[in-house]
């Protein structure tokens, strides 16, 4: 109880480092606290709030982003690990008002209810969408197994990802 | 729909959810996403004790810390209340995690550091973590009036159960328990408050912004006119948000510091300080004649409300509704006790008590059919309540609206397609082969089970809606309800558009701000489609008349006969027309406000359904696999099939957590929650998601808007008894205590041998 609910960070020493990194194609050079997580940096410093804080413990996937193309829980990535990295968030998917096929598929298949998990699911599905493979339903589910949806819109989420893959194949 | 309409109606189509684009783009704003200049961050100090008096709090060191602006304690807050048994802060703490003090600081790290510097002197009190200990006469009272809420049970009855049991050839009885089930919405509670001189604005996840405004006003001693509550996008709550101190604490800190204050709970706090589904202990008894007629039903339920009352009285009532009304029976009695314990508070969670009550009732029905040597489906066909309602005399005066949770007999339903649900489900699952399932050699056993339910059909309280034809020739629907992800905005737009005779894309919705919207019912009790739908339809009807009247002069006609709306404007039978833009340019914007209290003085409006499942049980591991799941619902006319299916599939899957996995465990020796995290409180993931086939009965309710009835909560009622009954069919093992974990299945199988 105490360990979870009370502070683990009392001293506010000079723990700040200037760090360079790229988010959605744009380079940033920011003075950030080494103990900040990528999620805090995105939300508090860059005001990119698409990635959500559902647990801050790497258990729910609501904060999923891409780090050099790999799916990560941004709440589990400390500032030191983003130096010179290429980060992509849900805000970086659509281009010039055009929705990414995954975003379009989530709209057309009603892939979100309350929507709090939706950016995380879309980012978790992104590498699957980019890959050359033609995944089975089971593979789609496996790639999304780290993301929770408490509305349990899982059926529509599976439909959405499958639909996005279908659009891609037909293009 | 008007015959003169020039385009296809929206009702009955899967019109795309209106608020989904922002959600997929990541631009939809939730409370925690909002930041204001000079905003402070708050953090709560929570009780490490399950029950204690706070004798003193030393906050000197905390307030001296750099960047700390304020510390609230029970000794420096005003006397207002968040709920009748919840002061803003209390010098008595009643569960591990209860609020003790709150700090506002420049950032969350300083707030946490300050929390560590607060010294609390506790007088530790005896405590109870379960209802049976709490009810023991020697137990220490958690609230001054004692541990049994109202000093006795809620009692509802029809006829005489004594007479009923006297007529019975058989009596079947059993007891059932259900776990502490946590909604654990993905968005933890949060509140942002900003005080400007005399006016308070609070952003918060809300299922009722107008109700929340009144709570803030009463707690803080402010006039409601000086408060605005804004409901941003909400990361769901399933009925559980908010009912807590969160927004009141943030508001008070903002008033005292003069700066905006944001309070975000973390995941563990959301589990502890949020609201859970009441765990229950139910004893239930049914009297039967040899031919299968039910002569009496009697159930006693004890519900654990935790440290505070919250919406407990409503939940305890709703747990009895299936027991009182699902089966045709002249003699029924339900007794519901609500008991305080030193555990996290229970409150509203999707279907409020109905899943618990139906788990007991529908498990017992299968037992009853076995004693009668009758097929469980046949037993339901024989005994389910029909369109004519229950036997007995109406007691509600003729000029009053019939309650959606009635007890009396003598009142028919406005629509009741339960029989159709049973037939459709039986066909879809292949019930006929149930008696002939052959299990191969090996550990796997296959079984089929079913259960049915009854639930409130949608009439809620007074509902208001305002709709306008605006300067740009489009329409705006102004409503005070919150769409918390269930899609109410979308279906209400569809209904308003069809009433006007225009495409839904021409209707915008404006909701979520108390200053700008009329009052609506809360997003609770599955009422919005029905209540907000009726209000929107009435407002749209009035607006249509007003637009036609305004256009009469402009077109130069004397009589509104034969005038109708098209997507382009008003048209007459003879071909005269005027565009919406021309109407507003000449007559100005036109606005109508409707206020309705929907319901019926002659009929009960209820929703129904039947669920069927085929499962495989691995008798070596205790694992249960769902092979096929069929959910059949009578929710009247379905306004938006895709959204409706999503509600059903999501509700069923959510309740797979209740059925198989979820139980918030409280250590009886310390009162500490042992699994207040997603890692340890297991919720269904996409890997557990079963194929769920949704079937809607052919039903049009004569009272519902466009024939619709409730749907948001009903999918949650039948899953647990359906699976438990299938488990019994597969293995001969009946488990009366949820969740059906592999351990409990194995243990029960061992006991069978």
């Amino acid at each position: 109880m105490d360990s979870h609910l009370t502070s683990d960070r009392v001293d506010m020493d000079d723990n700040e480092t200037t760090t360079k990194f790229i988010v959605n194609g744009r380079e940033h050079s920011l003075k950030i606290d080494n103990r900040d997580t990528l999620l805090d940096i995105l939300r508090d410093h860059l005001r990119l709030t698409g990635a959500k804080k559902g647990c801050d413990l790497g258990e729910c996937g609501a904060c999923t982003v891409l780090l050099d193309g790999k799916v990560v829980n941004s709440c589990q990535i400390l500032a030191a690990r983003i130096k010179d990295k290429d980060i992509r968030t849900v805000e970086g998917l659509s281009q010039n008002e055009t929705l990414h096929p995954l975003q379009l598929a989530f709209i057309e298949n009603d892939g979100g209810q309350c929507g709090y998990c939706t950016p995380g699911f879309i980012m978790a599905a992104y590498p699957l969408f980019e890959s050359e493979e033609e995944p089975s339903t089971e593979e789609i589910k496996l790639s999304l197994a780290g993301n929770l949806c408490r509305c349990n819109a899982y059926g529509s989420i599976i439909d959405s990802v499958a639909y996005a893959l279908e659009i891609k194949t037909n293009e | 729909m008007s015959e003169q309409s020039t385009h296809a109606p929206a009702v009955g189509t899967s019109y795309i959810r209106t608020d989904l684009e922002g959600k997929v783009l990541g631009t939809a704003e939730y409370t925690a996403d909002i930041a204001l200049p000079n905003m402070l961050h708050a953090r709560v100090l929570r009780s490490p004790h399950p029950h204690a008096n706070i004798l003193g709090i030393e906050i000197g060191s905390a307030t001296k810390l750099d960047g700390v602006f304020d510390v609230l304690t029970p000794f420096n807050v005003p006397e207002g209340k968040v709920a009748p048994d919840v002061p803003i802060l209390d010098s008595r703490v009643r569960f591990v995690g209860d609020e003790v003090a709150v700090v506002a600081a420049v950032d969350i790290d300083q707030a946490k550091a300050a929390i560590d510097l607060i010294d609390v002197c506790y007088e530790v009190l005896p405590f109870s973590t379960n209802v049976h200990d709490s009810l023991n006469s020697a137990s220490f009272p958690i609230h001054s009036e004692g541990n049994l809420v109202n000093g006795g049970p809620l009692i509802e009855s029809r006829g005489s159960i004594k007479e009923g049991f006297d007529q019975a050839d058989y009596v079947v009885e059993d007891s059932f328990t259900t776990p502490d089930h946590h909604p654990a919405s993905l968005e933890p509670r949060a509140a942002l408050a900003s005080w400007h001189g005399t006016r308070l604005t609070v952003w918060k996840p809300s299922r009722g912004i107008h109700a929340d405004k009144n709570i803030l006003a009463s707690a803080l001693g402010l006039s409601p006119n000086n408060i605005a509550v804004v409901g941003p996008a909400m990361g769901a709550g399933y009925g559980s948000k908010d009912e807590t101190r969160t927004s009141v604490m943030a508001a008070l800190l903002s008033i005292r510091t003069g700066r905006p204050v944001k309070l975000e709970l973390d995941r563990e706090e959301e589990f502890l300080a949020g609201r859970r589904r009441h765990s229950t202990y139910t004893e239930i008894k049914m009297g039967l004649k040899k031919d299968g007629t039910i002569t009496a039903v009697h159930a006693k339920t004890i519900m654990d409300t935790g440290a505070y009352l919250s919406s407990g009285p409503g939940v305890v009532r709703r747990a009895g509704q299936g027991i009182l009304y699902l089966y045709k029976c002249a003699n029924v009695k339900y007794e519901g006790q609500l008991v305080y314990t030193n555990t996290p508070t229970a409150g509203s969670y999707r279907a409020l008590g109905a899943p618990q009550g139906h788990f007991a009732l529908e498990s017992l029905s299968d037992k009853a059919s076995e004693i009668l040597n009758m097929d469980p489906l046949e037993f339901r066909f024989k005994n389910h309540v029909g369109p004519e309602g229950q036997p007995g005399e109406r007691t509600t005066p003729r000029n009053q609206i019939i309650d959606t949770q009635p007890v009396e007999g003598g009142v028919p339903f406005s629509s009741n397609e339960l029989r159709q649900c049973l037939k459709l489900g039986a066909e879809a699952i292949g019930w006929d082969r149930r008696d002939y399932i052959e299990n191969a050699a090996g550990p796997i056993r296959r079984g089929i089970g079913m259960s049915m339910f009854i639930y409130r059909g949608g009439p809620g309280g007074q509902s208001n809606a305002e709709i306008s034809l605006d300067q740009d020739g489009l329409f705006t629907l102004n409503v005070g309800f919150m769409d918390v992800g269930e899609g109410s905005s979308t279906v209400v737009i569809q209904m308003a558009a069809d009433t006007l005779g225009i495409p839904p894309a021409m209707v915008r919705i404006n909701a979520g701000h108390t200053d700008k919207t009329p009052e609506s019912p809360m997003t609770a009790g599955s009422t919005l489609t029905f209540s907000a739908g009726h209000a929107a339809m009435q407002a749209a009807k009035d607006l249509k008349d007003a637009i036609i009247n305004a256009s009469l002069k402009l077109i130069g006609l004397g009589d509104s006969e034969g005038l109708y709306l098209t997507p382009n404007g008003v048209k007459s039978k003879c071909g005269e027309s005027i565009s919406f833009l021309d109407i507003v340019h000449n007559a100005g914007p036109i606005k109508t406000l409707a206020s309705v209290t929907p319901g019926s003085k002659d009929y009960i409006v209820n929703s129904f359904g039947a669920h069927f499942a085929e499962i495989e049980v691995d008798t070596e591991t205790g694992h249960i696999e769902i092979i096929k799941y069929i959910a059949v619902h009578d929710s009247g006319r379905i306004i938006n099939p895709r959204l409706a299916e999503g509600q059903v599939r999501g509700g069923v899957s959510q309740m797979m957590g209740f059925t198989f996995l979820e139980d918030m465990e409280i250590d009886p020796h310390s009162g500490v929650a042992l699994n207040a995290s997603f890692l340890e409180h297991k919720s269904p993931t996409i890997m557990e998601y079963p194929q769920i086939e949704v079937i809607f009965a052919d039903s049009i309710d004569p009272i519902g808007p466009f024939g619709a009835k409730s749907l948001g909560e009903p999918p949650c009622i039948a899953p647990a008894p359906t699976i438990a009954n299938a488990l019994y069919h597969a293995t001969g093992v009946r488990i009366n205590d949820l969740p059906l974990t592999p351990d409990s299945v194995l243990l029960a199988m061992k006991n069978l041998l």
Side-chain angles (χ1 to χ4, degrees):
Chain A
M1 169 77 198
D2 283 347
S3 62
H4 285 286
L5 290 183
T6 59
S7 168
D8 48 356
R9 223 165 111 174
V10 176
D11 69 320
M12 292 295 289
D13 295 333
D14 287 345
N15 272 315
E16 296 195 332
T17 312
T18 301
T19 307
K20 263 194 201 167
F21 54 97
I22 297 166
V23 177
N24 299 331
R26 203 174 137 201
E27 197 174 294
H28 295 270
S29 180
L30 280 183
K31 219 175 160 189
I32 45 180
D33 191 306
N34 293 338
R35 298 162 300 181
D36 274 348
T37 65
L38 173 54
L39 178 61
D40 291 328
I41 293 162
L42 291 171
R43 290 180 59 82
D44 299 340
H45 292 262
L46 303 181
R47 299 290 305 139
L48 292 170
T49 55
K52 304 295 181 201
K53 192 177 274 190
C55 67
D56 220 18
L57 293 165
E59 295 170 353
C60 76
C63 65
T64 303
V65 300
L66 302 177
L67 186 72
D68 279 352
K70 289 212 169 72
V71 169
V72 294
N73 286 322
S74 60
C75 74
Q76 298 298 293
I77 305 293
L78 282 170
R81 281 184 60 195
I82 67 166
K83 187 169 173 280
D84 299 327
K85 297 286 188 196
D86 187 6
I87 294 146
R88 196 145 184 213
T89 73
V90 73
E91 289 93 342
L93 284 194
S94 60
Q95 301 205 318
N96 308 324
E97 311 276 305
T98 307
L99 293 172
H100 186 273
L102 272 168
Q103 293 171 316
L104 196 69
F106 269 71
I107 291 178
E108 298 213 343
N109 294 275
D110 202 40
Q113 290 184 19
C114 80
Y116 205 75
C117 71
T118 310
F121 268 100
I122 289 176
M123 297 316 288
Y126 188 82
L128 201 65
F129 180 83
E130 290 289 289
S131 80
E132 298 297 311
E133 313 289 316
E134 285 184 26
S136 64
T137 304
E138 205 54 26
E139 284 163 332
I140 292 175
K141 285 165 85 169
L142 266 174
S143 71
L144 303 174
N147 293 63
L148 281 178
C149 169
R150 289 295 294 143
C151 301
N152 283 257
Y154 294 126
S156 309
I157 292 168
I158 298 165
D159 293 347
S160 300
V161 176
Y163 179 80
L165 292 165
E166 207 176 293
I167 305 178
K168 188 183 78 168
T169 316
N170 294 341
E171 259 172 11
Chain B
M1 252 338 271
S2 157
E3 288 164 32
Q4 295 154 323
S5 178
T6 53
H7 69 99
V11 166
T13 69
S14 293
Y15 186 61
I16 283 178
R17 193 185 285 270
T18 54
D19 57 355
L20 205 45
E21 186 165 317
K23 290 172 177 175
V24 305
L25 285 167
T27 54
E29 209 166 47
Y30 296 77
T31 302
D33 299 341
I34 304 169
L36 295 176
N38 297 318
M39 184 172 80
L40 302 177
H41 295 263
R43 179 81 181 167
V44 179
L45 172 65
R46 296 187 178 278
S47 170
H49 301 293
H51 203 185
N53 282 319
I54 299 172
L55 301 179
I57 300 189
E58 176 48 53
I59 57 170
S61 317
T63 50
K64 282 191 203 94
L65 193 67
D66 274 355
V68 171
F69 278 69
D70 199 8
V71 182
L72 300 181
T73 76
F75 307 108
N76 68 9
V77 295
E79 282 195 345
K81 290 194 167 178
V82 178
D85 59 351
V86 185
I88 295 177
L89 286 172
D90 198 352
S91 58
R92 171 86 71 92
V93 284
R94 295 181 173 85
F95 68 98
V96 176
D98 208 352
E99 288 87 3
V100 172
V102 202
V103 172
V106 282
D107 61 34
I108 194 64
D109 293 312
Q110 282 308 81
K112 286 179 178 178
I115 288 286
D116 279 358
L117 297 174
I118 297 174
D119 216 1
V120 186
C121 178
Y122 293 103
E123 177 199 15
V124 174
L125 300 173
F127 68 96
S128 154
T129 58
N130 70 73
V131 292
H132 304 290
D133 287 351
S134 285
L135 286 175
N136 185 315
S137 57
S139 78
F140 196 89
I142 297 165
H143 289 271
S144 53
E145 70 271 31
N147 292 341
L148 176 58
V149 173
N150 292 329
L154 167 84
I155 299 177
E156 300 282 4
S157 68
R158 177 174 69 246
S160 155
I161 52 165
K162 188 187 174 304
E163 280 176 27
F165 283 114
D166 283 349
Q167 292 160 21
D169 297 317
Y170 309 108
V171 173
V172 53
E173 59 190 309
D174 216 333
S175 59
F176 298 86
T177 66
T178 63
D180 288 333
H181 177 214
H182 210 289
S185 49
L186 208 53
E187 175 203 38
R189 281 169 167 75
L192 169 61
S194 181
W195 174 254
H196 287 282
T198 58
R199 198 163 160 79
L200 176 71
T201 306
V202 172
W203 292 257
K204 70 185 293 289
S206 174
R207 60 181 180 137
I209 47 173
H210 291 276
D212 283 342
K213 181 174 86 171
N214 293 333
I215 290 172
L216 282 158
S218 125
L220 297 167
L222 296 172
S223 159
N225 296 330
N226 290 337
I227 301 176
V229 174
V230 185
M234 173 154 150
Y238 317 106
S240 83
K241 276 178 185 161
D242 183 10
E243 304 179 345
T244 71
R245 291 170 163 137
T246 312
S247 61
V248 175
M249 294 188 295
L252 186 55
L253 285 167
S254 181
I255 291 169
R256 286 167 51 122
T257 61
R259 310 234 323 215
V261 175
K262 181 151 78 175
L263 172 57
E264 292 178 55
L265 303 199
D266 66 25
R267 176 49 49 193
E268 185 183 20
E269 291 178 291
E270 177 60 28
F271 271 107
L272 299 180
R275 294 289 180 264
R276 58 173 170 82
R277 190 186 294 287
H278 295 70
S279 55
T280 57
Y281 170 78
T282 300
E283 289 175 358
I284 183 168
K285 199 167 148 182
M286 192 182 267
L288 299 154
K289 285 202 165 156
K290 280 185 185 138
D291 69 355
T293 306
I294 300 174
T295 60
V297 181
H298 183 202
K300 292 183 191 175
T301 292
I302 306 175
M303 293 192 137
D304 180 354
T305 192
Y308 299 100
L309 191 55
S310 190
S311 51
V315 178
V316 85
R317 173 65 184 87
R318 213 165 299 174
Q321 197 51 32
I323 290 154
L324 293 164
Y325 238 77
L326 182 58
Y327 290 96
K328 198 166 33 189
C329 183
N331 308 299
V332 294
K333 187 172 185 185
Y334 168 70
E335 298 172 62
Q337 291 185 323
L338 200 56
V339 179
Y340 287 118
T341 61
N342 296 108
T343 65
T345 308
S348 306
Y349 181 8
R350 207 169 174 184
L352 306 197
Q356 296 98 309
H358 280 78
F359 175 62
L361 177 68
E362 285 298 274
S363 295
L364 191 77
S365 280
D366 263 33
K367 271 189 87 160
S369 60
E370 191 179 10
I371 283 174
L372 295 163
N373 203 15
M374 193 184 258
D375 177 273
L377 181 64
E378 194 193 330
F379 179 75
R380 268 108 176 163
F381 270 125
K382 180 174 173 55
N383 287 302
H384 75 80
V385 66
E388 70 286 357
Q390 294 289 352
E393 289 293 309
R394 174 175 171 146
T395 52
T396 302
R398 291 273 159 194
N399 60 354
Q400 277 180 25
I401 287 180
I402 296 287
D403 199 282
T404 54
Q405 302 184 117
V407 183
E408 68 206 292
V411 189
F413 293 100
S414 54
S415 61
N416 173 348
E417 294 295 340
L418 185 50
R419 196 167 191 84
Q420 191 193 148
C421 292
L422 291 169
K423 276 186 195 156
L424 291 171
E427 262 169 46
I429 199 83
W431 188 267
D432 289 350
R433 63 195 167 85
R434 184 172 180 271
D435 288 341
Y436 310 101
I437 290 175
E438 281 179 23
N439 286 304
I444 306 295
R445 292 285 171 275
R446 197 172 267 240
I448 295 178
M450 61 81 56
S451 70
M452 59 182 190
F453 72 84
I454 185 170
Y455 199 70
R456 292 166 53 127
Q462 186 185 320
S463 185
N464 307 302
E466 189 179 76
I467 189 162
S468 55
L469 170 59
D470 304 334
Q471 287 290 358
D472 58 2
L474 297 176
F475 296 79
T476 302
L477 186 59
N478 248 324
V479 282
F481 67 78
M482 292 299 303
D483 185 335
V484 299
E486 79 290 359
S488 49
S489 306
T490 310
V491 299
V492 169
I493 284 176
Q494 288 176 270
M495 292 193 270
D498 276 10
T499 306
L500 287 162
I502 57 164
M506 290 179 73
V507 185
R508 297 169 284 229
I509 198 154
N510 174 46
H513 196 306
T514 52
D515 282 356
K516 299 171 185 167
T517 60
E519 280 196 47
S520 284
M522 291 204 298
T523 309
S526 299
T527 189
L528 282 184
T529 298
F530 198 99
S531 295
H534 264 302
M537 274 176 71
Q538 187 58 50
K541 221 171 138 211
D542 295 346
L543 181 67
K544 187 178 168 182
D545 291 345
I547 292 171
I548 285 175
N549 276 333
S551 59
L552 274 181
K553 260 189 282 175
L554 301 171
I555 302 182
L557 289 176
D559 177 1
S560 64
E561 186 68 24
L563 287 184
Y564 61 98
L565 268 58
T566 76
N568 303 316
V570 177
K571 229 176 161 174
S572 81
K573 270 194 298 205
C574 313
E576 290 111 330
S577 70
I578 180 166
S579 73
F580 290 128
L581 276 175
D582 283 342
I583 295 171
V584 284
H585 287 162
N586 288 291
I590 306 173
K591 194 187 273 187
T592 52
L593 171 70
S595 177
V596 300
T597 304
S600 169
K601 291 172 183 164
D602 302 313
Y603 299 99
I604 308 162
V605 184
N606 273 181
S607 290
F608 303 89
H611 287 199
F612 293 74
E614 181 166 1
I615 63 166
E616 277 183 358
V617 186
D618 186 328
T619 55
E620 283 176 354
T621 65
H623 178 75
I624 298 172
E625 183 85 22
I626 297 173
I627 306 300
K628 199 174 184 185
Y629 197 98
I630 312 286
V632 193
H633 285 253
D634 167 16
S635 285
R637 178 129 173 243
I638 298 304
I639 305 297
N640 186 318
R642 182 165 42 209
L643 295 194
E645 273 183 34
Q647 282 298 297
V648 178
R649 295 203 288 177
V652 170
S653 177
Q654 196 174 68
M655 292 308 281
M656 290 307 154
F658 175 74
T659 305
F660 291 123
L661 298 162
E662 294 169 4
D663 187 2
M664 200 157 135
E665 288 181 46
I666 307 291
D667 174 35
H669 306 293
S670 63
V672 170
L674 299 174
N675 56 348
S677 73
F678 280 134
L679 192 65
E680 292 148 312
H681 181 276
K682 302 288 184 196
S683 296
T685 73
I686 206 163
M687 300 310 290
E688 281 83 39
Y689 181 78
Q691 278 299 325
I692 299 163
E693 187 187 334
V694 183
I695 301 172
F696 290 113
D698 185 9
S699 170
I700 294 180
D701 189 86
I703 294 163
F706 285 91
K709 297 190 288 188
S710 66
L711 182 63
E713 296 166 289
C716 297
I717 303 168
T722 298
I723 299 294
N725 288 342
L727 172 66
Y728 180 74
H729 182 238
T731 62
V733 158
R734 177 161 296 285
I735 299 181
N736 294 357
D737 307 300
L738 293 177
L740 308 174
T741 62
D743 276 0
S744 71
V745 172
L746 285 181
L747 187 68
M749 303 232 16
K750 207 173 134 195
N751 292 341
L752 192 70
L753 295 177

